[in-house]
């Protein structure tokens, strides 16, 4: 059920991660993984290193519309599994007429496409839930992310719809589950990271919203941190649905029972069974945005200052950023920002703005609206796990005279 198809005995822990899939990863694979790890470590701020959870400095993040892989955030719940691509097999089962097992080469021969899409963690901006706004509620635990768990990359891979077509989905199918090959200790068991999406999304066979079994990121083979050799990319959905180190797909009449669908990644006030049961899994990401330069608490000269940042329309098909507004006087007046970079479905939008600050300005505010009618609200209610923080972005600054 919740368990990964790999048993504990077939997984050996190494200094760099786990060896999975019944055999040692070949030597060149290991060298490749170490090289990739070293490179990425240089450019992210690691909030934890075991497992690896890092985000880029915001000023670096918005230098380009397409996020270089070394600046792309990493969010993992366990050490990277080390997977031998030659022995790799993906199982597809459940409500299908023909359960199948596919090698990496067989997957790559199925209809594929390349798409650029933004991934963002549901915990992006989580640390703000521990700010002064929420004084009388418990501290939100988990990785204390700032606004950097977002990135926009080009992904190439096989259409999930093509894999499902080959397996022949039967009547009654409503959800598609994904299971990762990582080994996460949870309540005395070891589970893989699981995701789940509705069948209507899974069956999209064209367009930028179609989910992909991805093997290539920004034109290069996936790095271990980002799910080598195969991961899901589900455009428009929170990052948790884009399962890395994909090992199994199950078609079902219900959402996955995996912990990361049935319990985590829900909006709850209390972490108790009734609260989990009463709330549904999060799928789409909401509209969001951040001011990325200047950095928080920077000294700026009073007068006109230049700002840059990102804004993400909600993960609805066709939704685009409509208005991007900055205030230097606590919301009394607003200046419109200019959208820069490309404007594509399921992708963030970069922006720039020039606003006037005086020596008393303490904070700059950002809000945005999108073409689907979604907006960043002034305040949002607290939730126990610190997800989907998308209220007005507030940047503290230190103006000099
Ligand atoms: N898949 C597996 N197998 N294990 C994980 O820990 N983390 C998820 C998702 N897929 C995760 C996973 C979460 S919460 C996010 S936000 C994205 O991967 C992050 O993808 P990235 O590390 O490539 O940026």
């Amino acid at each position: 059920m919740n368990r990964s198809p790999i048993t504990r005995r077939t997984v050996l822990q190494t200094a760099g991660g786990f060896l999975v899939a019944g055999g040692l990863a070949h030597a060149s694979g290991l060298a490749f993984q170490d090289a990739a790890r070293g490179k990425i470590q240089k450019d992210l701020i690691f909030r934890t290193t075991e497992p690896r959870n890092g985000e880029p400095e915001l000023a670096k993040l918005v230098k380009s519309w397409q996020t270089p892989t070394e600046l792309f955030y990493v969010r993992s719940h366990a050490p990277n599994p080390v997977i031998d691509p030659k022995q790799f097999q993906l199982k597809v089962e459940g409500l299908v007429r023909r359960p199948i097992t596919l090698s990496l080469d067989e997957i790559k021969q199925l209809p594929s496409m390349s798409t650029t899409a933004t991934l963002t963690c549901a915990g992006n901006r989580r640390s703000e839930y521990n700010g002064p706004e929420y004084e009388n509620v418990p501290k939100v635990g988990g990785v204390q992310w700032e606004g950097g768990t977002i990135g926009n990359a080009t992904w190439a891979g096989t259409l999930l719809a093509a894999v499902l077509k080959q397996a022949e989905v039967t009547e009654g199918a409503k959800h598609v589950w994904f299971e990762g090959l990582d080994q996460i200790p949870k309540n005395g068991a070891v589970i893989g990271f699981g995701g789940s999406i509705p069948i209507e999304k899974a069956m999209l066979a064209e367009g930028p919203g179609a989910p992909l079994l991805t093997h290539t990121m920004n034109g290069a083979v996936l790095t271990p941190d980002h799910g080598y050799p195969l991961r899901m990319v589900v455009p428009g959905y929170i990052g948790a649905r884009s399962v890395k180190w994909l090992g199994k797909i199950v078609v079902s009449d219900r959402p996955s029972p995996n912990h990361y669908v049935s319990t985590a990644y829900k909006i709850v006030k209390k972490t108790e069974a009734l609260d989990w049961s009463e709330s549904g899994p999060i799928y789409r990401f909401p509209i969001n945005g951040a001011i990325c330069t200047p950095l928080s608490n920077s000294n700026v000269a009073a007068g006109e200052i230049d700002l840059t940042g990102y804004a993400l329309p909600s993960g609805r098909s066709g939704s685009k950023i409509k208005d991007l507004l900055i205030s230097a006087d606590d919301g009394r007046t607003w200046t419109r920002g200019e959208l820069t970079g490309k404007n594509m479905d399921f992708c963030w939008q970069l922006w720039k703005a020039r606003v006037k600050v005086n020596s008393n300005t303490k904070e700059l505010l950002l809000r945005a609206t999108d073409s689907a009618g979604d907006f960043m609200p002034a305040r949002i209610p607290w939730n126990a796990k610190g997800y989907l923080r998308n209220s007005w972005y507030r940047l503290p600054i230190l103006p000099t005279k």
Side-chain angles (χ1 to χ4, degrees), residues 129 133-134 136-141 263-280 282 379-389:
Y129 281 111
E133 202 182 323
Y134 302 102
N136 301 315
V137 282
K139 193 169 158 28
V140 172
T263 306
Y265 298 104
K266 288 182 171 180
I267 301 287
V268 292
K269 293 283 182 199
K270 290 184 192 158
T271 51
E272 290 173 10
L274 178 62
D275 299 72
W276 298 124
S277 311
E278 284 178 344
S279 16
I282 306 167
R379 289 170 58 90
I380 54 167
W382 176 91
N383 70 85
K385 301 283 284 180
Y387 294 136
L388 307 188
R389 168 81 186 182

Side-chain angles (χ1 to χ4, degrees), residues 77-395:
H77 290 74
N80 294 345
V82 179
I83 299 166
D84 181 346
K86 292 209 167 72
Q87 296 195 31
F88 174 86
Q89 289 189 321
L90 174 76
K91 285 187 167 42
V92 185
E93 57 190 48
L95 293 180
V96 292
R97 230 162 257 122
R98 297 177 55 220
I100 44 177
T101 301
L102 298 167
S103 70
L104 216 46
D105 282 344
E106 286 168 332
I107 292 168
K108 287 180 185 171
Q109 278 156 24
L110 291 170
S112 61
M113 67 176 232
S114 167
T115 194
T116 302
T118 296
L119 283 196
T120 185
C121 186
N124 195 34
R125 301 178 54 193
R126 172 182 285 137
S127 57
E128 296 171 35
Y129 281 111
N130 289 321
E133 202 182 323
Y134 302 102
E135 261 176 346
N136 301 315
V137 282
K139 193 169 158 28
V140 172
V143 185
Q144 294 301 301
W145 296 117
E146 295 183 1
T149 54
I150 183 167
N152 191 55
T154 298
W155 314 94
T158 300
L159 282 159
L160 173 61
V163 174
L164 296 178
K165 189 171 173 200
Q166 191 166 90
E168 295 177 26
V169 172
T170 58
E171 256 177 46
K174 293 202 164 67
H175 295 266
V176 176
W177 310 351
F178 309 121
E179 207 162 281
L181 292 170
D182 40 355
Q183 303 283 305
I184 310 170
K186 194 85 319 292
N187 308 327
V190 174
I191 61 169
F193 184 93
S196 188
I197 63 171
I199 191 81
E200 295 80 1
K201 178 79 171 172
M203 295 297 246
L204 289 178
E206 55 186 25
L212 292 184
L213 281 70
T214 301
H215 43 75
T216 305
M217 176 180 185
N218 291 333
V221 69
L222 278 176
T223 63
D225 276 333
H226 295 293
Y228 176 83
L230 194 70
R231 74 170 302 164
M232 286 307 306
V233 166
V234 184
Y237 282 16
I238 57 164
R241 307 308 173 216
S242 290
V243 171
K244 303 192 277 191
W245 312 294
L246 184 67
K248 196 181 194 182
I249 294 177
V250 180
V251 182
S252 177
D253 60 355
R254 66 201 70 176
S256 164
N258 183 280
H259 170 80
Y260 297 96
V261 179
S262 66
T263 306
Y265 298 104
K266 288 182 171 180
I267 301 287
V268 292
K269 293 283 182 199
K270 290 184 192 158
T271 51
E272 290 173 10
L274 178 62
D275 299 72
W276 298 124
S277 311
E278 284 178 344
S279 16
I282 306 167
Y283 295 115
R284 274 196 314 263
F285 50 68
I287 185 173
N288 212 337
I291 303 172
C292 298
T293 65
L295 290 170
S296 164
N297 288 311
S298 294
N299 289 305
V300 294
E304 289 202 319
I305 64 164
D306 288 320
L307 313 176
T308 63
Y310 67 79
L312 178 70
S314 67
R316 298 173 199 281
S317 177
S319 170
K320 298 279 170 52
I321 291 297
K322 199 171 139 208
D323 252 343
L324 190 297
L325 299 162
I326 311 283
S327 175
D329 56 10
D330 210 23
R332 277 184 287 279
T333 59
W334 295 87
T335 302
R336 184 154 287 131
E338 183 187 329
L339 303 180
T340 61
K342 293 187 192 164
N343 177 356
M344 279 171 57
D345 280 2
F346 300 106
C347 291
W348 71 2
Q349 178 86 64
L350 298 185
W351 58 265
K352 62 179 182 182
R354 181 165 287 176
V355 293
K356 218 173 190 172
V357 301
N358 61 42
S359 53
N360 297 320
T361 312
K362 293 198 167 54
E363 239 182 11
L364 299 175
L365 312 184
L366 164 75
R367 67 188 171 105
T369 63
D370 71 19
S371 56
D374 289 316
F375 57 90
M376 292 170 69
R379 289 170 58 90
I380 54 167
W382 176 91
N383 70 85
K385 301 283 284 180
Y387 294 136
L388 307 188
R389 168 81 186 182
N390 75 335
S391 50
W392 294 356
Y393 191 85
R394 293 175 173 269
L395 181 82

